[in-house]
Amino acid sequence: MDDPRLTPARPDLAAKYLEGKVKAARFVTGETFEIVDAIAPVRMAPSSEAELMTQALKGERVTIYDRNGEGWAWGQLDRDGYVGWLPDSSLARPQAAPTHKVTAIRTFAFPGPSIKLPPLNTLVMNSLLTVTSESSAFAVTREGCYVPRGHLGDPDRFEKDFVAVAERFVGTPYLWGGRSSFGIDCSGLVQIALNAAGTGCPRDSDMQQDGLGSDVDPAQSGKLQRGDLIFWKGHVAIARDKDTIVHANAHHMATVIENTTEAIARIRASGSEVAAIKRL
């Protein structure tokens, strides 16, 4: 069966590219929009009370197939293919290709060229911006926001060590479906870190287990290398070295660095064994 998280198909409507592959009452081509809010929730149903499945970040593109007229739009994120409902207010027609991305885990957008002004917004890592001018201290976006220049980079330049990126999120609160330093989950941490290093990455831990790297014998958990991914049912952690991992987890309700042997024992005590180790 096609994964509903990655397949824009419902009994009443589906993406045109799925015609002949799935059953639906009608097929639509869809329209491309961009995310204009700093962070937009992607929910399982068109309700602010529905489960948060993931988040879309400013500047990311999404193909919208349906708008319910009650403030919600249903579509598929371009970056990782995730399907869900987004607030209509978070969407706008793309106006220009992004020129910069946010490389800090968080930064502020000011209304003018002074850090003493009250910020208009807070932007997060991997957000995409269109910059129209630059000074020594600020980059000015097409919306007229002033963002510290040192917190931005070229969209085509990437971090060398994705583990070091993940380590920068230590202390971030755990949030199911989260993809930012305001709140992040285990697979969101892996995805954001790998994306910052220029590696494509599926959204959820089971997708990551199936789609990333090559298998390492789980019995070799004492011989981990930096960057190895350790999977349990519904969870993933990143090896920092042979002795420690960094992961966002609900036990600590935060992103933490933890002794690998102790983490494996603690998770085993809760009923889950290591399912796989992947080497990128």
Side-chain angles (χ1 to χ4, degrees):
M1 177 179 288
D2 292 318
D3 190 332
R5 295 171 296 176
L6 300 173
T7 309
R10 309 184 321 225
D12 64 317
L13 180 148
K16 184 72 173 177
Y17 74 84
L18 293 173
E19 194 165 7
K21 300 177 182 178
V22 301
K23 292 182 178 180
R26 64 189 177 98
F27 294 86
V28 296
T29 301
E31 298 178 84
T32 299
F33 288 81
E34 70 172 284
I35 305 299
V36 293
D37 288 346
I39 301 173
V42 180
R43 298 193 181 277
M44 184 173 290
S47 166
S48 59
E49 297 180 358
E51 179 185 328
L52 179 67
M53 301 169 72
T54 186
Q55 294 172 321
L57 308 182
K58 182 174 176 61
E60 291 185 342
R61 300 304 201 254
V62 56
T63 302
I64 296 299
Y65 297 102
D66 184 28
R67 304 170 92 167
N68 72 355
E70 299 178 357
W72 293 91
W74 182 74
Q76 184 170 35
L77 302 181
D78 286 8
R79 176 168 282 182
D80 60 17
Y82 221 94
V83 174
W85 290 90
L86 300 94
D88 232 337
S89 59
S90 298
L91 306 172
R93 303 279 184 185
Q95 296 183 28
T99 60
H100 291 69
K101 67 181 176 184
V102 176
T103 54
I105 64 169
R106 279 190 306 278
T107 191
F108 294 115
F110 296 96
S114 171
I115 60 172
K116 296 181 180 180
L117 294 169
L120 295 171
N121 214 336
T122 306
L123 304 174
V124 297
M125 178 179 282
N126 289 357
S127 299
L128 299 169
L129 308 176
T130 302
V131 169
T132 56
S133 63
E134 296 183 56
S135 67
S136 59
F138 291 97
V140 184
T141 71
R142 73 166 189 250
E143 299 90 354
C145 297
Y146 289 72
V147 181
R149 188 176 174 185
H151 289 172
L152 303 180
D154 187 311
D156 296 324
R157 294 190 65 181
F158 301 105
E159 301 282 351
K160 294 181 179 179
D161 180 5
F162 87 93
V163 183
V165 176
E167 290 169 339
R168 292 164 61 186
F169 284 81
V170 167
T172 296
Y174 180 85
L175 175 67
W176 180 273
R179 283 185 69 222
S180 84
S181 57
F182 286 113
I184 202 162
D185 64 16
C186 63
S187 54
L189 180 67
V190 172
Q191 186 186 55
I192 285 290
L194 282 173
N195 286 169
T199 299
C201 179
R203 176 58 181 92
D204 293 341
S205 61
D206 61 324
M207 302 174 184
Q208 293 170 355
Q209 181 177 330
D210 291 341
L212 295 175
S214 56
D215 289 303
V216 174
D217 185 349
Q220 299 297 308
S221 60
K223 299 180 180 179
L224 292 171
Q225 296 180 11
R226 185 173 178 86
D228 286 350
L229 301 177
I230 311 170
F231 292 92
W232 295 261
K233 182 177 174 58
H235 187 59
V236 59
I238 305 167
R240 298 174 65 243
D241 49 39
K242 65 182 181 65
D243 296 318
T244 60
I245 56 175
V246 57
H247 61 150
N249 68 92
H251 176 79
H252 296 96
M253 285 304 295
T255 299
V256 300
I257 291 172
E258 191 173 6
N259 176 273
T260 306
T261 301
E262 293 175 3
I264 290 174
R266 173 174 58 76
I267 297 171
R268 178 183 294 120
S270 69
S272 187
E273 294 284 351
V274 172
I277 297 174
K278 291 298 190 77
R279 183 156 294 160
L280 304 181

